[in-house]
């Protein structure tokens, strides 16, 4: 684990974006820059950009490496469950992947009655909904309790700036978004991935609370793409204090980027207007949080090159690569 001092020193070397020569047109998502390569491949560069409330707030040192290497870990740990898009990891922040035909839905899996966004089951339940995402919920449920069994709560995959909308299995199939036979496979794979995620997170003392998967077709087969069980796509709680805090009516101890949302709220930001500028303390704590997730989940010590800007390192690592 790096000290706050080392992390802050690395700010000038963090990756805000990448411009690669000879790779064609660059595309940008909120967090990743990517290039389409011949042979149905996609070069995904995970930057250090930090987003919250759908806005980019700045860079968090080591974040891109953590996300990319955590996804790599999970692709390796789930290859017996289903195929994935990973071909190679030519740099700690880069994944060479197979281009998938993406499904137009985001597959969210939830293990707990919780959440704060409009599409979360606790928000809707609290407002009186008992029928959500095609499931029936009984009265008397309480916040943060485990669900009897994890459930899939799919949403639309909104374009940049848009908001994801809740869907149900029936809506997805009847509207023709995904064929029933394929959707059934996606459901099976999503639940198996989530179970593997809960098992391995448990070994690191974390609870995998909920997560978002992006599936696509590769060679006609359902495959997992994008990122898996990272702090950007998932929520984690500390396992050892969960029961006692729940019993005392306290919120579970979060171990994901909830830290950032709470900090923004404490600065008076509720989602509208200009977000507060990240200060040194929150930058260091967030970076340590990301690194902590990597270390707990993989059981490995996080190591990075502290000597050169991430962009320079990436260019050097991609240089001699036969693409
Ligand atoms: N193997 C793949 N084939 C095709 N597209 C992929 C693959 N893996 C990831 N993607 C897409 O590449 C992009 C990665 O960028 P990033 O994660 O920054 O996007 P984002 O801002 O989260 O956008 P989105 O709202 O689309 O998730 C996403 O649009 C993701 O859906
Ligand atoms: Mg994404």
């Amino acid at each position: 684990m790096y000290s706050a001092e080392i992390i802050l020193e690395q700010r000038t070397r963090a990756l805000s974006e990448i411009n690669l020569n000879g790779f064609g047109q660059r595309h940008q998502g909120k967090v990743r820059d990517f290039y389409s390569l011949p042979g149905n491949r996609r070069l995904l560069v995970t930057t250090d950009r930090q987003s919250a409330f759908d806005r980019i707030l700045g860079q968090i040192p080591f974040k891109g490496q953590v996300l990319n290497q955590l996804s790599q870990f999970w692709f390796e740990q789930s290859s017996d469950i289903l195929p994935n898009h990973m071909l190679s990891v030519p740099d700690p922040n880069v994944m060479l992947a197979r281009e998938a035909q993406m499904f137009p839905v985001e597959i969210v899996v939830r293990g707990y009655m919780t959440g704060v966004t409009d599409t979360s089951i606790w928000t809707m339940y609290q407002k009186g909904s008992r029928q959500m995402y095609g499931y029936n919920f009984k009265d008397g449920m309480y916040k943060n309790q485990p669900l009897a069994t994890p459930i899939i709560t799919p949403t639309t995959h909104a374009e940049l700036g848009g908001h994801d909308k809740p869907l149900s299995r029936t809506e997805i199939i009847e509207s023709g978004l995904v064929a029933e036979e394929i959707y059934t496979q996606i459901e099976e794979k999503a639940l198996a991935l989530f179970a593997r995620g809960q098992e391995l997170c448990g070994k690191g003392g974390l609870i995998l609370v909920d997560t978002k998967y992006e599936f696509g077709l590769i060679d006609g087969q359902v495959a997992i793409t994008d990122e898996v069980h990272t702090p950007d796509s998932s929520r984690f709680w500390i396992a050892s204090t969960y029961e006692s805090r729940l019993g005392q009516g306290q919120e579970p101890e979060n171990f994901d980027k909830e830290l950032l949302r709470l900090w923004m709220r404490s600065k008076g930001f509720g989602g509208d207007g200009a977000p507060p500028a990240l200060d040194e303390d929150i930058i260091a704590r967030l970076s340590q949080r990301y690194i902590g997730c990597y270390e707990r989940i993989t059981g490995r010590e996080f190591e990075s090159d502290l000597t050169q800007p991430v962009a320079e390192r990436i260019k050097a690592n991609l240089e001699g690569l036969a693409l």
Side-chain angles (χ1 to χ4, degrees):
M1 174 60 67
Y2 292 126
S3 66
E5 206 179 342
I6 289 183
I7 290 166
L8 293 172
E9 228 175 70
Q10 290 300 311
R11 276 183 297 174
T12 54
R13 303 194 184 93
L15 186 66
S16 59
E17 57 176 14
I18 190 88
N19 286 296
L20 298 171
N21 287 326
F23 285 78
Q25 167 83 42
R26 179 190 64 181
H27 304 275
Q28 288 195 308
K30 284 191 285 290
V31 172
R32 291 172 185 79
D33 284 5
F34 53 92
Y35 293 83
S36 288
L37 300 183
N40 268 325
R41 295 172 305 165
R42 178 178 286 226
L43 190 78
L44 288 153
V45 180
T46 309
T47 70
D48 295 319
R49 294 197 289 269
Q50 178 71 60
S51 73
F53 298 98
D54 285 332
R55 278 161 229 245
I56 307 294
L57 307 173
Q59 283 83 252
I60 300 298
F62 307 119
K63 177 181 179 248
Q65 180 178 339
V66 163
L67 295 186
N68 194 51
Q69 292 186 331
L70 255 183
S71 290
Q72 176 185 11
F73 171 82
W74 286 112
F75 287 137
E76 287 163 356
Q77 297 294 325
S78 64
S79 60
D80 59 320
I81 299 174
L82 83 171
N84 60 63
H85 75 171
M86 181 169 67
L87 287 168
S88 64
V89 180
D91 175 274
N93 285 63
V94 182
M95 190 170 290
L96 182 61
R98 301 191 58 190
E99 183 81 27
Q101 231 178 298
M102 304 294 275
F103 297 113
V105 289
E106 301 210 341
I107 302 297
V108 177
V109 181
R110 300 172 187 272
Y112 291 79
M113 173 52 90
T114 189
V116 290
T117 62
D118 290 345
T119 50
S120 78
I121 54 174
W122 173 247
T123 307
M124 296 197 262
Y125 186 88
Q126 208 184 9
K127 287 184 186 160
S129 299
R130 293 295 178 268
Q131 173 107 47
M132 297 179 270
Y133 297 97
Y135 302 91
N136 289 311
F137 292 80
K138 56 179 196 283
D139 285 333
M141 294 186 74
Y142 52 94
K143 190 172 185 205
N144 302 325
Q145 80 173 83
L147 300 173
T149 158
I151 60 169
I152 298 173
T153 61
T155 64
T156 54
H157 191 152
E159 295 300 317
L160 203 64
H163 286 290
D164 297 339
K165 192 170 108 302
L167 289 168
S168 67
R169 167 179 233 280
T170 313
E171 284 171 316
I172 289 173
I173 292 162
E174 283 182 357
S175 64
L177 281 173
V178 185
E180 177 162 19
E181 185 219 340
I182 299 284
Y183 191 69
T184 302
Q185 282 184 47
I186 292 176
E187 289 175 315
E188 278 169 23
K189 301 299 183 189
L191 293 176
L193 274 174
F194 195 72
R196 180 67 52 84
Q198 289 194 311
E199 177 197 335
L200 297 185
C201 285
K203 290 187 181 164
L206 296 179
I207 294 174
L208 176 61
V209 181
D210 40 44
T211 195
K212 180 209 71 174
Y213 300 120
E214 293 187 20
F215 292 94
L217 282 182
I218 296 178
D219 284 344
Q221 291 205 335
V222 171
I224 180 73
T225 69
D226 203 48
E227 60 181 327
V228 177
H229 303 154
T230 69
D232 273 12
S233 69
S234 319
R235 279 184 312 150
F236 305 108
W237 290 335
I238 299 284
S240 60
T241 56
Y242 169 73
E243 291 284 348
S244 64
R245 292 178 72 103
L246 197 69
Q248 290 162 23
Q250 293 173 328
E251 284 293 308
E253 231 179 308
N254 65 75
F255 204 72
D256 47 38
K257 63 186 234 194
E258 186 68 9
L259 172 69
L260 175 61
R261 295 188 202 103
L262 294 173
W263 180 83
M264 291 178 76
R265 289 246 159 76
S266 77
K267 298 283 169 188
F269 184 78
D272 298 313
L278 300 179
D279 63 25
E280 292 195 344
D281 181 62
I282 190 71
I283 290 172
R285 283 198 296 142
L286 260 178
S287 178
Q288 287 179 332
R289 176 61 59 91
Y290 276 92
I291 293 171
C293 283
Y294 174 87
E295 294 191 335
R296 275 180 177 253
I297 291 170
T298 65
R300 302 173 194 149
E301 192 180 347
F302 179 80
E303 277 178 300
S304 193
D305 171 13
L306 305 179
T307 62
Q308 57 180 335
V310 175
E312 297 308 311
R313 192 197 67 214
I314 290 175
K315 285 175 189 160
N317 279 332
L318 293 180
E319 190 119 326
L321 208 69
L323 289 171

